[in-house]
Amino acid sequence: PEIERLFLAVEALVAAGVGVVYISHFLEECRRIATRYVVLRDGESVAAGVMRDAPSNSLIEAMVGRRVDEVYPRVAHAIGETVLEIRQLAGVRKPTNATLTLRAGEILGVFGLVGSGRTEMLRTLFGLDRQRAGAIRLRGKVEARPAPHSRLAERVGMLSENRKDEGLFLGRSIADNLTMTRFAPYRRMGLINAHRQRGAARAWIDRLGIRCSGPEQEVVRLSGGNQQKVAVGRLLHHECTILLLDEPTRGIDVAAKAAIYRLVGELAADGAAMVLVSSYLPELLGICDTIAVMCRGELGPKRPAAEWTEASLLSAAIGAA
């Protein structure tokens, strides 16, 4: 509703003779209100034209600089044994009732409207919010009420939806952010070997394609997409095999999204299990193996992604299904 009110305000301004430049990563928003478009990539204008005449495929190719079939890259992966089960999980306020089974190598998407309890479910699983009821079974073992330090010790990692306030130390270096939860390989007698730490950070910078001046650069000076790669990189450095990803591509451009999608697929191919919460339907349908929908604190049963459509996901999210 807030987005629709914004668009109505923009349309009213245009009707009054005001010119508007609207910047967005979301094509559906641009199609809703724009008459003309310009695509910027790496600081240069690479395409322009009339919005209604532009096929989505050509716009995406201009934005990313590659074919559309590479925007949601699919990496072959096998789904193995169950690694996480939750039964009738309830948090302080939300979720009120969440049941799911997650298997090794599975990418399980969770959709729901803002306020439905998606984020609270991940926070409760990770021990950031108190578990009020229900049961959690991790790798076959019934868990007591979790805490973040025990989750990390069990190689369970969480990516916050709010990287600037919760997910990163913006004033610290890339190296510090990447290794923050696992200093052991670089620590001796309580001191950090900075040379070894920076060497490990360089390896992650190369693997993740982080654009930066080096491991000593402050994270605050990176673009949103590169900041997100650092946040994901910390989970990989920690050798997490179960990842709770909350809006992993929020606020980053199409090229950075494609890089994250490929990385998620590669992690699944290595046997990692992921719960991926997202508000963006195309990415859920594009990269997830299974999808479940949360509505008013309750999580519905998961189904293969191929059995969902954008319309059916929205219908379930508003309780109409």
Side-chain angles (χ1 to χ4, degrees), residues 31 43 85 96 139 149 188 212 221 260:
R31 289 199 181 282
E85 295 178 85
T96 57
R139 300 187 182 94
H149 69 274
R188 185 177 181 184
C212 63
R221 301 186 181 279
I260 296 291

Side-chain angles (χ1 to χ4, degrees), residues 109-114 116-118 281 284-285 291-303 307-321:
V110 175
F111 179 66
L113 303 180
V114 173
S116 63
R118 307 167 309 167
L281 294 174
L284 288 173
L285 295 169
I291 303 175
V293 178
M294 182 159 276
C295 177
R296 300 185 183 95
E298 293 199 15
L299 185 68
K302 71 178 183 181
R303 289 160 42 190
E307 295 183 6
W308 292 100
T309 65
E310 292 194 12
S312 63
L313 286 168
L314 284 168
S315 180
I318 63 175

